Amino acid sequence: MLERSNHKISFLNKRFFGIFIVGILLICNNLDAQNVTTFPLMSKGSHIFFTASIDGEPVEIMLESGLPAFLIEEKFYEQHLKKTDIPFEPSQAKINLFHDSYSILLRANGKINIGESVYEGPIYILKDFNDLRLPIQYLKDAKTNKAVVEIDLPEKRMSIGEDGIESTHYQKFKFSYNEKGMPTIRTVLLLTTARGEAKLKGDFILDFGNPMFLFMMRQHKSLEKAVKKGDVELKDAYNNEGVLVAQGIYAVKLSLAGRDYSDIPIGVTDKMETINQLGLLGIPFFSTPVVFDFDKKVLRVYEN
């Protein structure tokens, strides 16, 4: 009887221990869920925006990653940031945003609460600028400091703090940062055009502010070599005055980062001389959910 009684007690202890462990896991999972800040995303024109509270006021912010800093209009600075302890200093520099150039009035490295998340990084106050554009690589969860940003364009949401995607079907890429702090991946671009085939190697900036699938830098040696060999032909676009305003490439087939595409127009610019990378991968590249783990410098691109 004694042996049987002890066996029963042991069984009950194991059962209680199992229930206890499951309870702890449920609590931890619930805490993780509470450490995720989610923002609905919306499309305006060809760009992606979200609404968040800054200094108690909800504002629309353009989602970016191909920027060196949080770009803020002067009016918003005067109303909300001037009174903070962010160490702004006067600047004489300029920033080029494709065909537009803006004077940087003030610049700083500082921290701004974006809803329940935090932006911590470079901040530029621009003259004659009417926007707020935020690079996601400086976002993190306010409670855990985890710099993990999930962007799901099909579901129109952005989450900060944890990766909530349960699927195991994804491609993983290590990324680094260029000299301006923009995330980049190194890969091979295979192009098939009416003129032939070209294999271009280089770094690509992950750019949520770019509405095109791919924008390439005219000055990059890989593209320059392909054009000289005749494998790639640049098509010119002129305005009504006959002035060349843009160039482009039409790819019948395109292979990039392990994915194949067809009938892709590619923009080409020579207006961004300070960019040393081969190109900028824009919004259409992120047609499936992606997770930027800025702590581990890993990009996960999920399948549909």
Tab-separated table of all heavy atoms in Angstrom, residues 139-199:
chain	number	residue	atom	x	y	z
A	139	LEU	N	13.870	51.701	-35.637
A	139	LEU	CA	12.718	51.441	-34.772
A	139	LEU	C	12.990	50.266	-33.841
A	139	LEU	O	13.672	49.315	-34.201
A	139	LEU	CB	11.475	51.124	-35.608
A	139	LEU	CG	10.721	52.280	-36.244
A	139	LEU	CD1	9.601	51.744	-37.132
A	139	LEU	CD2	10.162	53.232	-35.190
A	140	LYS	N	12.428	50.330	-32.641
A	140	LYS	CA	12.519	49.210	-31.709
A	140	LYS	C	11.364	49.271	-30.723
A	140	LYS	O	10.700	50.309	-30.575
A	140	LYS	CB	13.854	49.227	-30.962
A	140	LYS	CG	14.116	50.479	-30.159
A	140	LYS	CD	15.511	50.444	-29.549
A	140	LYS	CE	15.812	51.723	-28.773
A	140	LYS	NZ	17.174	51.696	-28.192
A	141	ASP	N	11.107	48.147	-30.069
A	141	ASP	CA	10.046	48.085	-29.072
A	141	ASP	C	10.457	48.862	-27.829
A	141	ASP	O	11.592	48.752	-27.357
A	141	ASP	CB	9.760	46.627	-28.710
A	141	ASP	CG	8.661	46.503	-27.676
A	141	ASP	OD1	7.490	46.728	-28.025
A	141	ASP	OD2	8.998	46.193	-26.515
A	142	ALA	N	9.534	49.649	-27.301
A	142	ALA	CA	9.854	50.519	-26.162
A	142	ALA	C	10.143	49.730	-24.889
A	142	ALA	O	10.934	50.167	-24.052
A	142	ALA	CB	8.705	51.501	-25.923
A	143	LYS	N	9.516	48.557	-24.708
A	143	LYS	CA	9.675	47.794	-23.466
A	143	LYS	C	10.883	46.862	-23.501
A	143	LYS	O	11.617	46.745	-22.524
A	143	LYS	CB	8.405	46.990	-23.185
A	143	LYS	CG	7.173	47.846	-22.941
A	143	LYS	CD	5.945	46.977	-22.715
A	143	LYS	CE	4.694	47.826	-22.510
A	143	LYS	NZ	3.476	46.982	-22.356
A	144	THR	N	11.074	46.180	-24.640
A	144	THR	CA	12.120	45.162	-24.708
A	144	THR	C	13.367	45.612	-25.452
A	144	THR	O	14.388	44.921	-25.412
A	144	THR	CB	11.584	43.904	-25.414
A	144	THR	OG1	11.267	44.227	-26.781
A	144	THR	CG2	10.326	43.392	-24.723
A	145	ASN	N	13.279	46.741	-26.166
A	145	ASN	CA	14.374	47.236	-27.005
A	145	ASN	C	14.690	46.307	-28.180
A	145	ASN	O	15.741	46.444	-28.815
A	145	ASN	CB	15.659	47.466	-26.198
A	145	ASN	CG	15.592	48.755	-25.403
A	145	ASN	OD1	14.939	49.712	-25.798
A	145	ASN	ND2	16.272	48.772	-24.265
A	146	LYS	N	13.794	45.379	-28.494
A	146	LYS	CA	14.014	44.488	-29.632
A	146	LYS	C	13.777	45.248	-30.927
A	146	LYS	O	12.730	45.857	-31.120
A	146	LYS	CB	13.085	43.275	-29.555
A	146	LYS	CG	13.473	42.270	-28.490
A	146	LYS	CD	12.613	41.024	-28.583
A	146	LYS	CE	13.063	39.980	-27.567
A	146	LYS	NZ	12.230	38.739	-27.654
A	147	ALA	N	14.762	45.185	-31.808
A	147	ALA	CA	14.659	45.872	-33.103
A	147	ALA	C	14.276	44.865	-34.173
A	147	ALA	O	15.083	44.493	-35.036
A	147	ALA	CB	15.979	46.560	-33.438
A	148	VAL	N	13.052	44.370	-34.078
A	148	VAL	CA	12.503	43.423	-35.047
A	148	VAL	C	11.261	44.054	-35.656
A	148	VAL	O	10.316	44.382	-34.942
A	148	VAL	CB	12.153	42.077	-34.393
A	148	VAL	CG1	11.532	41.125	-35.419
A	148	VAL	CG2	13.390	41.453	-33.757
A	149	VAL	N	11.276	44.248	-36.980
A	149	VAL	CA	10.167	44.915	-37.664
A	149	VAL	C	9.589	43.967	-38.706
A	149	VAL	O	10.288	43.519	-39.608
A	149	VAL	CB	10.621	46.221	-38.339
A	149	VAL	CG1	9.444	46.890	-39.054
A	149	VAL	CG2	11.226	47.174	-37.305
A	150	GLU	N	8.319	43.640	-38.528
A	150	GLU	CA	7.597	42.786	-39.485
A	150	GLU	C	6.690	43.669	-40.326
A	150	GLU	O	5.898	44.454	-39.794
A	150	GLU	CB	6.772	41.752	-38.725
A	150	GLU	CG	5.868	40.903	-39.604
A	150	GLU	CD	4.876	40.102	-38.792
A	150	GLU	OE1	5.236	39.653	-37.672
A	150	GLU	OE2	3.735	39.930	-39.258
A	151	ILE	N	6.804	43.538	-41.650
A	151	ILE	CA	5.958	44.315	-42.558
A	151	ILE	C	5.205	43.353	-43.456
A	151	ILE	O	5.810	42.564	-44.195
A	151	ILE	CB	6.787	45.300	-43.399
A	151	ILE	CG1	7.457	46.317	-42.470
A	151	ILE	CG2	5.910	46.010	-44.419
A	151	ILE	CD1	8.340	47.311	-43.170
A	152	ASP	N	3.892	43.419	-43.364
A	152	ASP	CA	3.021	42.545	-44.139
A	152	ASP	C	2.150	43.430	-45.022
A	152	ASP	O	1.084	43.893	-44.604
A	152	ASP	CB	2.162	41.699	-43.193
A	152	ASP	CG	1.414	40.585	-43.919
A	152	ASP	OD1	1.190	40.739	-45.133
A	152	ASP	OD2	1.048	39.593	-43.265
A	153	LEU	N	2.619	43.695	-46.244
A	153	LEU	CA	1.870	44.567	-47.143
A	153	LEU	C	0.536	43.960	-47.576
A	153	LEU	O	-0.455	44.686	-47.685
A	153	LEU	CB	2.724	44.933	-48.354
A	153	LEU	CG	3.945	45.831	-48.073
A	153	LEU	CD1	4.656	46.184	-49.373
A	153	LEU	CD2	3.536	47.103	-47.335
A	154	PRO	N	0.445	42.633	-47.846
A	154	PRO	CA	-0.860	42.075	-48.191
A	154	PRO	C	-1.908	42.280	-47.100
A	154	PRO	O	-3.080	42.528	-47.392
A	154	PRO	CB	-0.564	40.586	-48.411
A	154	PRO	CG	0.866	40.553	-48.843
A	154	PRO	CD	1.526	41.645	-48.047
A	155	GLU	N	-1.485	42.195	-45.831
A	155	GLU	CA	-2.408	42.400	-44.714
A	155	GLU	C	-2.417	43.849	-44.217
A	155	GLU	O	-3.137	44.190	-43.273
A	155	GLU	CB	-2.044	41.474	-43.558
A	155	GLU	CG	-2.239	39.993	-43.856
A	155	GLU	CD	-3.690	39.633	-44.108
A	155	GLU	OE1	-4.578	40.259	-43.488
A	155	GLU	OE2	-3.931	38.731	-44.944
A	156	LYS	N	-1.566	44.683	-44.808
A	156	LYS	CA	-1.501	46.108	-44.498
A	156	LYS	C	-1.238	46.372	-43.013
A	156	LYS	O	-1.978	47.090	-42.339
A	156	LYS	CB	-2.793	46.812	-44.938
A	156	LYS	CG	-3.044	46.727	-46.431
A	156	LYS	CD	-4.323	47.463	-46.831
A	156	LYS	CE	-4.528	47.379	-48.338
A	156	LYS	NZ	-5.764	48.073	-48.766
A	157	ARG	N	-0.136	45.813	-42.521
A	157	ARG	CA	0.227	46.057	-41.129
A	157	ARG	C	1.731	45.983	-40.942
A	157	ARG	O	2.441	45.328	-41.688
A	157	ARG	CB	-0.469	45.066	-40.191
A	157	ARG	CG	0.035	43.634	-40.298
A	157	ARG	CD	-0.453	42.778	-39.143
A	157	ARG	NE	0.065	41.432	-39.244
A	157	ARG	CZ	-0.607	40.404	-39.767
A	157	ARG	NH1	-1.821	40.577	-40.229
A	157	ARG	NH2	-0.033	39.200	-39.817
A	158	MET	N	2.195	46.692	-39.913
A	158	MET	CA	3.589	46.655	-39.484
A	158	MET	C	3.611	46.380	-37.986
A	158	MET	O	2.873	47.011	-37.223
A	158	MET	CB	4.293	47.987	-39.778
A	158	MET	CG	5.706	48.068	-39.204
A	158	MET	SD	6.595	49.590	-39.676
A	158	MET	CE	5.628	50.847	-38.799
A	159	SER	N	4.436	45.420	-37.571
A	159	SER	CA	4.572	45.086	-36.155
A	159	SER	C	6.019	45.263	-35.723
A	159	SER	O	6.942	44.958	-36.488
A	159	SER	CB	4.125	43.646	-35.882
A	159	SER	OG	2.773	43.463	-36.249
A	160	ILE	N	6.209	45.731	-34.503
A	160	ILE	CA	7.546	46.008	-33.988
A	160	ILE	C	7.721	45.281	-32.664
A	160	ILE	O	6.888	45.406	-31.760
A	160	ILE	CB	7.765	47.522	-33.790
A	160	ILE	CG1	7.568	48.251	-35.128
A	160	ILE	CG2	9.146	47.814	-33.219
A	160	ILE	CD1	7.435	49.741	-34.985
A	161	GLY	N	8.790	44.511	-32.538
A	161	GLY	CA	9.112	43.864	-31.275
A	161	GLY	C	9.272	42.373	-31.368
A	161	GLY	O	10.166	41.797	-30.759
A	162	GLU	N	8.408	41.677	-32.137
A	162	GLU	CA	8.484	40.230	-32.266
A	162	GLU	C	8.077	39.816	-33.671
A	162	GLU	O	7.298	40.499	-34.328
A	162	GLU	CB	7.554	39.536	-31.253
A	162	GLU	CG	7.988	39.667	-29.804
A	162	GLU	CD	9.191	38.805	-29.472
A	162	GLU	OE1	9.513	37.897	-30.253
A	162	GLU	OE2	9.811	39.048	-28.427
A	163	ASP	N	8.589	38.681	-34.105
A	163	ASP	CA	8.172	38.087	-35.370
A	163	ASP	C	6.953	37.218	-35.090
A	163	ASP	O	7.050	36.186	-34.442
A	163	ASP	CB	9.319	37.255	-35.949
A	163	ASP	CG	8.929	36.534	-37.225
A	163	ASP	OD1	7.791	36.723	-37.689
A	163	ASP	OD2	9.756	35.785	-37.761
A	164	GLY	N	5.789	37.636	-35.593
A	164	GLY	CA	4.561	36.897	-35.335
A	164	GLY	C	4.169	35.947	-36.449
A	164	GLY	O	3.107	35.330	-36.389
A	165	ILE	N	5.002	35.788	-37.467
A	165	ILE	CA	4.667	34.915	-38.589
A	165	ILE	C	5.024	33.468	-38.229
A	165	ILE	O	6.148	33.168	-37.848
A	165	ILE	CB	5.416	35.345	-39.868
A	165	ILE	CG1	5.043	36.787	-40.234
A	165	ILE	CG2	5.091	34.404	-41.022
A	165	ILE	CD1	5.782	37.322	-41.439
A	166	GLU	N	4.055	32.565	-38.344
A	166	GLU	CA	4.268	31.173	-37.960
A	166	GLU	C	4.800	30.307	-39.096
A	166	GLU	O	5.283	29.212	-38.873
A	166	GLU	CB	2.955	30.592	-37.438
A	166	GLU	CG	2.437	31.288	-36.176
A	166	GLU	CD	1.142	30.684	-35.683
A	166	GLU	OE1	0.616	29.773	-36.364
A	166	GLU	OE2	0.651	31.116	-34.628
A	167	SER	N	4.711	30.778	-40.338
A	167	SER	CA	5.145	29.985	-41.482
A	167	SER	C	6.648	29.711	-41.427
A	167	SER	O	7.434	30.537	-40.974
A	167	SER	CB	4.806	30.712	-42.792
A	167	SER	OG	5.389	30.044	-43.895
A	168	THR	N	7.019	28.517	-41.881
A	168	THR	CA	8.432	28.156	-41.962
A	168	THR	C	8.962	28.263	-43.393
A	168	THR	O	10.110	27.918	-43.653
A	168	THR	CB	8.652	26.717	-41.452
A	168	THR	OG1	7.851	25.816	-42.240
A	168	THR	CG2	8.263	26.595	-39.986
A	169	HIS	N	8.129	28.749	-44.305
A	169	HIS	CA	8.527	28.856	-45.713
A	169	HIS	C	9.003	30.276	-45.994
A	169	HIS	O	8.209	31.188	-46.198
A	169	HIS	CB	7.354	28.482	-46.626
A	169	HIS	CG	6.837	27.095	-46.417
A	169	HIS	ND1	7.550	25.971	-46.799
A	169	HIS	CD2	5.694	26.643	-45.839
A	169	HIS	CE1	6.863	24.893	-46.478
A	169	HIS	NE2	5.740	25.262	-45.892
A	170	TYR	N	10.304	30.448	-45.957
A	170	TYR	CA	10.877	31.766	-46.211
A	170	TYR	C	12.318	31.628	-46.698
A	170	TYR	O	12.947	30.582	-46.552
A	170	TYR	CB	10.836	32.628	-44.949
A	170	TYR	CG	11.632	32.091	-43.775
A	170	TYR	CD1	12.999	32.337	-43.659
A	170	TYR	CD2	11.008	31.338	-42.769
A	170	TYR	CE1	13.725	31.845	-42.588
A	170	TYR	CE2	11.725	30.843	-41.699
A	170	TYR	CZ	13.085	31.097	-41.611
A	170	TYR	OH	13.801	30.600	-40.549
A	171	GLN	N	12.787	32.706	-47.291
A	171	GLN	CA	14.196	32.822	-47.647
A	171	GLN	C	14.858	33.777	-46.661
A	171	GLN	O	14.253	34.771	-46.259
A	171	GLN	CB	14.361	33.359	-49.068
A	171	GLN	CG	13.828	32.441	-50.135
A	171	GLN	CD	14.100	32.997	-51.515
A	171	GLN	OE1	15.231	33.037	-51.987
A	171	GLN	NE2	13.047	33.455	-52.179
A	172	LYS	N	16.077	33.451	-46.289
A	172	LYS	CA	16.785	34.263	-45.295
A	172	LYS	C	18.017	34.877	-45.938
A	172	LYS	O	18.769	34.205	-46.646
A	172	LYS	CB	17.171	33.414	-44.083
A	172	LYS	CG	17.817	34.212	-42.968
A	172	LYS	CD	17.907	33.401	-41.678
A	172	LYS	CE	18.899	32.270	-41.801
A	172	LYS	NZ	19.129	31.602	-40.487
A	173	PHE	N	18.200	36.170	-45.685
A	173	PHE	CA	19.358	36.890	-46.220
A	173	PHE	C	20.041	37.662	-45.088
A	173	PHE	O	19.374	38.310	-44.276
A	173	PHE	CB	18.935	37.891	-47.304
A	173	PHE	CG	18.168	37.294	-48.442
A	173	PHE	CD1	16.787	37.282	-48.439
A	173	PHE	CD2	18.833	36.735	-49.521
A	173	PHE	CE1	16.066	36.731	-49.486
A	173	PHE	CE2	18.132	36.180	-50.575
A	173	PHE	CZ	16.744	36.179	-50.561
A	174	LYS	N	21.348	37.571	-45.051
A	174	LYS	CA	22.109	38.451	-44.174
A	174	LYS	C	22.181	39.826	-44.822
A	174	LYS	O	22.347	39.926	-46.043
A	174	LYS	CB	23.521	37.904	-43.955
A	174	LYS	CG	23.582	36.617	-43.175
A	174	LYS	CD	23.234	36.799	-41.706
A	174	LYS	CE	24.296	37.584	-40.957
A	174	LYS	NZ	24.006	37.721	-39.509
A	175	PHE	N	22.012	40.862	-44.047
A	175	PHE	CA	22.165	42.198	-44.621
A	175	PHE	C	23.172	42.997	-43.812
A	175	PHE	O	23.506	42.668	-42.672
A	175	PHE	CB	20.819	42.932	-44.736
A	175	PHE	CG	20.153	43.283	-43.418
A	175	PHE	CD1	20.533	44.390	-42.688
A	175	PHE	CD2	19.116	42.502	-42.934
A	175	PHE	CE1	19.921	44.717	-41.494
A	175	PHE	CE2	18.483	42.823	-41.739
A	175	PHE	CZ	18.887	43.930	-41.016
A	176	SER	N	23.667	44.050	-44.439
A	176	SER	CA	24.599	44.960	-43.778
A	176	SER	C	24.084	46.371	-43.992
A	176	SER	O	22.961	46.568	-44.473
A	176	SER	CB	26.013	44.786	-44.347
A	176	SER	OG	26.019	44.980	-45.748
A	177	TYR	N	24.883	47.358	-43.640
A	177	TYR	CA	24.488	48.748	-43.813
A	177	TYR	C	25.521	49.465	-44.674
A	177	TYR	O	26.722	49.205	-44.564
A	177	TYR	CB	24.382	49.463	-42.460
A	177	TYR	CG	23.318	48.895	-41.546
A	177	TYR	CD1	23.655	47.979	-40.554
A	177	TYR	CD2	21.990	49.277	-41.666
A	177	TYR	CE1	22.692	47.454	-39.709
A	177	TYR	CE2	21.018	48.756	-40.833
A	177	TYR	CZ	21.375	47.849	-39.855
A	177	TYR	OH	20.410	47.328	-39.027
A	178	ASN	N	25.040	50.358	-45.526
A	178	ASN	CA	25.993	51.163	-46.290
A	178	ASN	C	26.470	52.332	-45.443
A	178	ASN	O	26.127	52.464	-44.263
A	178	ASN	CB	25.390	51.611	-47.625
A	178	ASN	CG	24.277	52.643	-47.468
A	178	ASN	OD1	23.921	53.053	-46.357
A	178	ASN	ND2	23.711	53.076	-48.569
A	179	GLU	N	27.263	53.210	-46.050
A	179	GLU	CA	27.859	54.312	-45.303
A	179	GLU	C	26.827	55.315	-44.803
A	179	GLU	O	27.111	56.121	-43.916
A	179	GLU	CB	28.896	55.022	-46.182
A	179	GLU	CG	28.343	55.646	-47.458
A	179	GLU	CD	28.101	54.653	-48.575
A	179	GLU	OE1	28.464	53.460	-48.394
A	179	GLU	OE2	27.565	55.057	-49.620
A	180	LYS	N	25.608	55.256	-45.323
A	180	LYS	CA	24.545	56.160	-44.877
A	180	LYS	C	23.568	55.492	-43.907
A	180	LYS	O	22.540	56.062	-43.557
A	180	LYS	CB	23.786	56.699	-46.093
A	180	LYS	CG	24.633	57.552	-47.026
A	180	LYS	CD	23.823	58.059	-48.201
A	180	LYS	CE	24.672	58.883	-49.150
A	180	LYS	NZ	25.170	60.130	-48.528
A	181	GLY	N	23.879	54.257	-43.510
A	181	GLY	CA	23.040	53.564	-42.545
A	181	GLY	C	21.839	52.865	-43.140
A	181	GLY	O	20.922	52.470	-42.414
A	182	MET	N	21.817	52.656	-44.474
A	182	MET	CA	20.694	51.984	-45.129
A	182	MET	C	20.969	50.480	-45.220
A	182	MET	O	22.079	50.075	-45.535
A	182	MET	CB	20.485	52.548	-46.535
A	182	MET	CG	20.328	54.056	-46.598
A	182	MET	SD	20.365	54.634	-48.317
A	182	MET	CE	20.468	56.423	-48.060
A	183	PRO	N	19.969	49.630	-44.962
A	183	PRO	CA	20.185	48.179	-45.055
A	183	PRO	C	20.378	47.740	-46.504
A	183	PRO	O	19.660	48.172	-47.407
A	183	PRO	CB	18.898	47.592	-44.459
A	183	PRO	CG	17.868	48.662	-44.621
A	183	PRO	CD	18.599	49.963	-44.515
A	184	THR	N	21.361	46.857	-46.731
A	184	THR	CA	21.664	46.371	-48.080
A	184	THR	C	21.877	44.862	-48.055
A	184	THR	O	22.318	44.300	-47.047
A	184	THR	CB	22.927	47.033	-48.656
A	184	THR	OG1	24.080	46.574	-47.941
A	184	THR	CG2	22.847	48.550	-48.554
A	185	ILE	N	21.526	44.212	-49.173
A	185	ILE	CA	21.863	42.803	-49.345
A	185	ILE	C	22.758	42.678	-50.570
A	185	ILE	O	22.653	43.464	-51.511
A	185	ILE	CB	20.615	41.903	-49.499
A	185	ILE	CG1	19.780	42.327	-50.711
A	185	ILE	CG2	19.784	41.904	-48.236
A	185	ILE	CD1	18.655	41.354	-51.030
A	186	ARG	N	23.636	41.687	-50.559
A	186	ARG	CA	24.513	41.426	-51.696
A	186	ARG	C	23.987	40.207	-52.437
A	186	ARG	O	23.781	39.142	-51.849
A	186	ARG	CB	25.945	41.189	-51.232
A	186	ARG	CG	26.904	40.812	-52.351
A	186	ARG	CD	28.343	40.972	-51.930
A	186	ARG	NE	28.658	42.393	-51.723
A	186	ARG	CZ	29.873	42.833	-51.391
A	186	ARG	NH1	30.876	41.990	-51.216
A	186	ARG	NH2	30.084	44.129	-51.220
A	187	THR	N	23.751	40.367	-53.728
A	187	THR	CA	23.211	39.266	-54.518
A	187	THR	C	23.579	39.461	-55.974
A	187	THR	O	24.237	40.434	-56.340
A	187	THR	CB	21.678	39.175	-54.336
A	187	THR	OG1	21.189	37.992	-54.968
A	187	THR	CG2	20.978	40.385	-54.921
A	188	VAL	N	23.153	38.519	-56.808
A	188	VAL	CA	23.413	38.557	-58.252
A	188	VAL	C	22.107	38.860	-58.976
A	188	VAL	O	21.060	38.285	-58.658
A	188	VAL	CB	24.001	37.218	-58.744
A	188	VAL	CG1	24.136	37.216	-60.258
A	188	VAL	CG2	25.345	36.962	-58.087
A	189	LEU	N	22.169	39.762	-59.927
A	189	LEU	CA	21.019	40.119	-60.755
A	189	LEU	C	21.251	39.556	-62.155
A	189	LEU	O	22.239	39.890	-62.812
A	189	LEU	CB	20.860	41.638	-60.807
A	189	LEU	CG	19.856	42.202	-61.824
A	189	LEU	CD1	18.439	41.755	-61.484
A	189	LEU	CD2	19.948	43.730	-61.876
A	190	LEU	N	20.351	38.695	-62.603
A	190	LEU	CA	20.408	38.148	-63.950
A	190	LEU	C	19.328	38.831	-64.784
A	190	LEU	O	18.137	38.766	-64.449
A	190	LEU	CB	20.187	36.635	-63.934
A	190	LEU	CG	21.204	35.806	-63.143
A	190	LEU	CD1	20.823	34.333	-63.172
A	190	LEU	CD2	22.615	35.992	-63.702
A	191	LEU	N	19.735	39.474	-65.865
A	191	LEU	CA	18.820	40.223	-66.725
A	191	LEU	C	18.767	39.590	-68.108
A	191	LEU	O	19.807	39.263	-68.694
A	191	LEU	CB	19.280	41.674	-66.881
A	191	LEU	CG	19.028	42.660	-65.750
A	191	LEU	CD1	19.615	44.019	-66.129
A	191	LEU	CD2	17.556	42.795	-65.453
A	192	THR	N	17.555	39.453	-68.625
A	192	THR	CA	17.373	39.084	-70.021
A	192	THR	C	16.584	40.199	-70.688
A	192	THR	O	15.447	40.495	-70.296
A	192	THR	CB	16.605	37.755	-70.168
A	192	THR	OG1	17.325	36.715	-69.504
A	192	THR	CG2	16.447	37.396	-71.638
A	193	THR	N	17.212	40.862	-71.657
A	193	THR	CA	16.565	41.944	-72.383
A	193	THR	C	16.528	41.590	-73.874
A	193	THR	O	17.012	40.537	-74.290
A	193	THR	CB	17.322	43.271	-72.189
A	193	THR	OG1	18.588	43.197	-72.872
A	193	THR	CG2	17.564	43.556	-70.710
A	194	ALA	N	15.958	42.484	-74.664
A	194	ALA	CA	15.908	42.257	-76.107
A	194	ALA	C	17.302	42.222	-76.715
A	194	ALA	O	17.506	41.658	-77.799
A	194	ALA	CB	15.069	43.345	-76.762
A	195	ARG	N	18.285	42.788	-76.027
A	195	ARG	CA	19.663	42.849	-76.536
A	195	ARG	C	20.499	41.636	-76.133
A	195	ARG	O	21.543	41.378	-76.715
A	195	ARG	CB	20.338	44.123	-76.032
A	195	ARG	CG	19.716	45.402	-76.539
A	195	ARG	CD	20.013	45.620	-78.012
A	195	ARG	NE	21.425	45.854	-78.227
A	195	ARG	CZ	21.985	47.072	-78.175
A	195	ARG	NH1	21.240	48.141	-77.909
A	195	ARG	NH2	23.267	47.221	-78.395
A	196	GLY	N	20.084	40.923	-75.081
A	196	GLY	CA	20.876	39.794	-74.628
A	196	GLY	C	20.706	39.552	-73.134
A	196	GLY	O	19.717	39.974	-72.526
A	197	GLU	N	21.704	38.877	-72.578
A	197	GLU	CA	21.671	38.544	-71.156
A	197	GLU	C	22.849	39.194	-70.444
A	197	GLU	O	23.934	39.346	-71.016
A	197	GLU	CB	21.713	37.032	-70.955
A	197	GLU	CG	20.513	36.295	-71.534
A	197	GLU	CD	20.581	34.802	-71.262
A	197	GLU	OE1	21.647	34.335	-70.776
A	197	GLU	OE2	19.595	34.104	-71.544
A	198	ALA	N	22.628	39.564	-69.197
A	198	ALA	CA	23.683	40.193	-68.396
A	198	ALA	C	23.617	39.659	-66.972
A	198	ALA	O	22.529	39.403	-66.433
A	198	ALA	CB	23.521	41.709	-68.402
A	199	LYS	N	24.792	39.483	-66.398
A	199	LYS	CA	24.913	39.054	-65.009
A	199	LYS	C	25.611	40.152	-64.235
A	199	LYS	O	26.786	40.441	-64.482
A	199	LYS	CB	25.709	37.742	-64.930
A	199	LYS	CG	25.859	37.182	-63.538
A	199	LYS	CD	26.627	35.861	-63.573
A	199	LYS	CE	26.779	35.255	-62.189
A	199	LYS	NZ	27.538	33.967	-62.229
